[in-house]
Amino acid sequence: MSYRTRMIYIFLIDSIIVSFAIFVAHWLVYPYSSHPYNDTIIIITSICLLFFHHLYAIIYNLYNKVWAYASVGELLAIIKAVTLTIITVALIQFVINDFTIYRRALLVTWMLHIILIGGSRFAWRVFRDRYITKSNVKKKRTLIVGAGDAGAMIARQLNNEHN
């Protein structure tokens, strides 16, 4: 799979997750209420979430990262982008909805975004590490002396080099 194709898939998966999250959050927060806020607000909120998520994802390079080596740094970039997206959408809700913000729905949306977007990135890493391997490579056994950070880094690099 080419780099461009992977980036298109990540963009589409993010779009589905972001569009899906506000409706699930609304359903979770207000399960028995018919309409705590009108449909126009939820549609405007979902469009703003989609637009600002992609804007902040581009700013924090979420589409340019090498997700084969996803780590805590990438997760922090996801958290920053999602948090700024939710804050921006809350400000928009505040302006267009007579100074009212639906905090619980936005909080649940924030949690869903982090779990689902972070999970999709790390799921790709797990899938790649587990199922996409080069079987024709002859592996050599290696002994690394030392148990510090440098030894762990070398072990990871050697392991990833042959996968």
Side-chain angles (χ1 to χ4, degrees):
M1 181 182 314
S2 72
Y3 176 78
R4 182 181 168 108
T5 307
R6 259 194 323 258
M7 291 305 110
I8 290 171
Y9 282 144
I10 288 174
F11 188 85
L12 290 174
I13 288 171
D14 278 3
S15 297
I16 291 168
I17 288 169
V18 169
S19 299
F20 173 76
I22 187 66
F23 296 105
V24 170
H26 178 266
W27 179 73
L28 287 172
V29 172
Y30 308 108
Y32 300 111
S33 179
S34 60
H35 290 291
Y37 51 97
N38 62 24
D39 292 335
T40 308
I41 299 300
I42 196 169
I43 291 171
I44 291 172
T45 301
S46 64
I47 291 170
C48 290
L49 275 171
L50 190 61
F51 174 76
F52 285 110
H53 170 75
H54 290 303
L55 176 72
Y56 289 122
I58 290 169
I59 290 171
Y60 282 101
N61 294 322
L62 294 185
Y63 298 130
N64 296 333
K65 302 255 185 209
V66 180
W67 291 103
Y69 307 107
S71 65
V72 174
E74 284 78 13
L75 183 61
L76 289 175
I78 290 171
I79 291 172
K80 288 176 188 176
V82 169
T83 302
L84 286 174
T85 300
I86 297 296
I87 289 171
T88 306
V89 169
L91 291 174
I92 291 171
Q93 266 189 5
F94 183 75
V95 169
I96 67 170
N97 198 25
D98 298 328
F99 307 108
T100 303
I101 300 173
Y102 299 101
R103 292 180 300 273
R104 288 185 293 162
L106 288 177
L107 180 65
V108 172
T109 303
W110 177 80
M111 289 187 290
L112 285 172
H113 279 182
I114 290 174
I115 291 168
L116 295 175
I117 291 171
S120 69
R121 302 305 201 275
F122 286 98
W124 169 250
R125 179 180 176 181
V126 169
F127 177 78
R128 182 187 164 275
D129 288 348
R130 214 158 270 189
Y131 298 110
I132 301 176
T133 59
K134 297 177 184 175
S135 59
N136 58 359
V137 176
K138 291 183 181 179
K139 293 185 177 183
K140 264 187 175 178
R141 296 185 73 119
T142 305
L143 174 66
I144 300 171
V145 179
D149 292 334
M153 183 178 68
I154 290 171
R156 253 184 271 121
Q157 282 183 329
L158 287 173
N159 195 21
N160 289 333
E161 182 179 313
H162 293 293
N163 283 336

